[in-house]
Amino acid sequence: MASDRTTTPRNRIPLEHARSWLLTAATSTEQFTIAHHCTSDAVIYDLEDGILPDLRGGARHALRSWLSPTHRGWVRINPAGSPDWRDDLDALRNQPGVEGVVLAKCESAQHIEETATRLPASTPIIALIESALGIERGFDIASTPHTQRLAFGIGDFRLDTATSTEPAALAYARGRMVVASRAAGIAGPIDGPTVSKHDNQLEIDLGVTRSMGFTGKLCMRPEDTARVNTALSPTNDDVQWAGDTIDRLGIDGHNIRHGSDRPALARAHRIHQIATVFSNL
């Protein structure tokens, strides 16, 4: 399994920069093959909500047969403390091809720590936050050494809080996740998926994702992943601006003259770094 915070998913993108995260139910080799060959930065094989409880034993067996050094991916496991959680971790403990785990319905740092103790040392964990309690404990969750990123489980969060899908209704939760991630020193969080296929809903949702400071997005459909990658990458104009800004202010800031120059240079360096990662694919 992966050993540190620079683990690279199957497309060689460091996990802290991975944009599209395809969720696919751990049901069959056909599903696995489709996910493996799509354009997502990372694949998450789902042993939780994507699988009926009575079928999870078979799903674990199918996934173990698929995962290998050449068939790699993340695995969404069931909530901490549940019988399925224990069975998921037992099945994955020494399984080749596991990049890391996505812990469903995470509500505390303890959930992360209990999960980590049942996996090989330093296995990366993404905390899927899906409740009001999880949001309020976001900083503690993000601050554990095993948590690589936070992800937003919008559907279950809405069930827990009786909120709508309107961006304003979810802005507080999203904002808390972004601030918690930044304060804990980990990469930006991963937004929830767009479920609707209606018109340009994905583009609308991606506008919210970007504006709120999220740097990744869960995907339910393989065809969405390329659009997510494009939307969450620097544009040509962004890259040109970053280059011009670094040239003008100096790579080390020796030409800074105004207070506003320093944050502009920091943003330019971030854009340049991200663009370099993606250009090397």
Side-chain angles (χ1 to χ4, degrees):
M1 285 195 187
S3 60
D4 57 38
R5 291 198 176 204
T6 61
T7 303
T8 52
R10 62 198 185 93
N11 287 348
R12 297 177 291 110
I13 295 179
L15 74 87
E16 65 267 25
H17 296 305
R19 302 153 295 183
S20 56
W21 294 75
L22 178 66
L23 270 169
T24 188
T27 53
S28 67
T29 300
E30 180 181 5
Q31 286 289 105
F32 300 154
T33 301
I34 291 171
H36 180 71
H37 290 290
C38 85
T39 56
S40 64
D41 288 345
V43 172
I44 304 170
Y45 299 105
D46 187 11
L47 290 173
E48 197 228 1
D49 281 352
I51 304 293
L52 293 173
D54 291 346
L55 302 179
R56 286 176 184 154
R60 292 184 196 101
H61 178 75
L63 189 55
R64 282 181 58 85
S65 297
W66 167 261
L67 288 170
S68 70
T70 55
H71 292 158
R72 301 177 63 81
W74 291 69
V75 183
R76 176 162 75 165
I77 61 174
N78 284 274
S82 68
D84 279 315
W85 170 77
R86 296 184 183 91
D87 291 342
D88 292 344
L89 292 173
D90 286 344
L92 298 175
R93 183 173 292 116
N94 297 308
Q95 177 64 41
V98 177
E99 303 247 352
V101 300
V102 178
L103 179 60
K105 299 177 177 61
C106 183
E107 292 189 321
S108 70
Q110 183 179 355
H111 287 169
I112 298 291
E113 296 298 340
E114 289 173 350
T115 299
T117 61
R118 292 172 175 262
L119 291 167
S122 300
T123 297
I125 300 173
I126 292 174
L128 185 58
I129 296 182
E130 308 182 69
S131 67
L133 186 57
I135 291 294
E136 291 303 293
R137 292 176 172 172
F139 175 69
D140 290 339
I141 294 169
S143 296
T144 73
H146 304 286
T147 302
Q148 305 300 299
R149 292 176 77 170
L150 305 180
F152 192 17
I154 293 175
D156 281 314
F157 177 80
R158 289 184 56 231
L159 287 175
D160 185 47
T161 59
T163 50
S164 74
T165 58
E166 292 299 315
L170 299 172
Y172 174 80
R174 283 192 170 106
R176 285 291 297 248
M177 292 182 68
V178 170
V179 171
S181 297
R182 177 61 180 163
I186 63 174
I190 302 163
D191 206 358
T194 294
V195 178
S196 172
K197 296 181 181 180
H198 183 67
D199 296 336
N200 60 339
Q201 190 61 52
L202 179 59
E203 280 68 30
I204 293 171
D205 290 350
L206 280 165
V208 175
T209 298
R210 290 193 306 269
S211 69
M212 291 298 302
F214 281 69
T215 57
K217 185 171 175 63
L218 297 172
C219 302
M220 304 294 291
R221 295 175 290 273
E223 59 268 26
D224 289 350
T225 59
R227 294 155 71 188
V228 169
N229 288 344
T230 298
L232 298 184
S233 300
T235 66
N236 290 335
D237 288 345
D238 290 335
V239 174
Q240 182 65 53
W241 174 86
D244 292 345
T245 300
I246 292 171
D247 289 343
R248 176 171 59 87
L249 299 177
I251 193 168
D252 59 355
H254 62 269
N255 288 330
I256 285 177
R257 296 292 182 269
H258 307 285
S260 61
D261 288 342
R262 198 170 300 279
L265 182 60
R267 179 171 179 266
H269 278 305
R270 286 196 298 271
I271 291 172
H272 177 73
Q273 178 192 21
I274 295 169
T276 300
V277 169
F278 297 149
S279 68
N280 287 333
L281 296 179

